[in-house]
Amino acid sequence: MTSVEICLDDLAGVRVAEEAGADRVELCAALAEGGITPSIGTVGGALRAALRIGIQVLIRQRPGDFVYDEDELQAMVDDIHSMRALPNPSGVTLGFVLGALRADGRINADATRRLVAACGEAPVTFHKAFDQLPDRAAALEQLVDLGVSRVLTSAGASSALEGADGLARLVEQAGDRIAVLAGGGIRPANAAELVERSGVREVHLRAPLTVATVAAGAPTAYDHGSREVTSGDVVRAVVDAVSGAGAGAAPTAAGERLA
């Protein structure tokens, strides 16, 4: 069985994704700028809304690179602690999505270890900063040693489908030690092919739908007249597409249940 994770920054999308059959969401803010940490109120709202679906929270203090100074790193640690303390009425899986690099392009092991420690028993995903690394095979081993649960990647390619061969190599290397979460350009039309070619058991995508904003009047710098929400139809189509695909693939990373 292939699990589906939906990346979103609209709070209503948590219920939409759950009702459409997704397994997890990655909750972000400001996806138009690549995504940053959502507010604690947004995370609290997502935990109240979720009945089954796992909530993965992006921990990224600002847009731009993934090289953080001490103040930024401490802010991210504080965010993790604050979010872990929130009420979780349905007891859904709360996890975190993070990544820290050094100026020379390698994983910042000290920063990553500190962030992972702040997460406690919560599952940790190392995000697509992984694709900037020159030696992803070595980096995968480092992430295993650091206690990371999964890595989000297209194997350095511009899309997951283009990186299918590289993803297959990562899946084989990972075994059941760490999950490989494929992300990048995944749509209903190509999701099953990607799973079959790469052997991944987890896919990650946005499912955007553009809708008109409610307020009347001419567009402004703050209200362009439309916004993006999560499309239940797209989520459902991907869930259906990958259902049964890659049935012989490796199991999810040891110690973590599917949401």
Side-chain angles (χ1 to χ4, degrees), residues 160-222:
L161 192 59
E162 291 179 36
D165 292 342
L167 286 168
R169 290 190 291 272
L170 289 171
V171 168
E172 182 177 8
Q173 178 186 348
D176 63 357
R177 299 177 302 154
I178 186 171
V180 177
L181 172 61
I186 297 175
R187 310 306 299 161
N190 63 24
E193 179 186 356
L194 169 69
V195 171
E196 295 291 352
R197 286 181 53 190
S198 68
V200 297
R201 287 202 61 211
E202 305 190 9
V203 297
H204 166 103
L205 67 147
R206 292 189 65 192
L209 173 67
T210 302
V211 298
T213 52
V214 174
T220 69
Y222 301 100

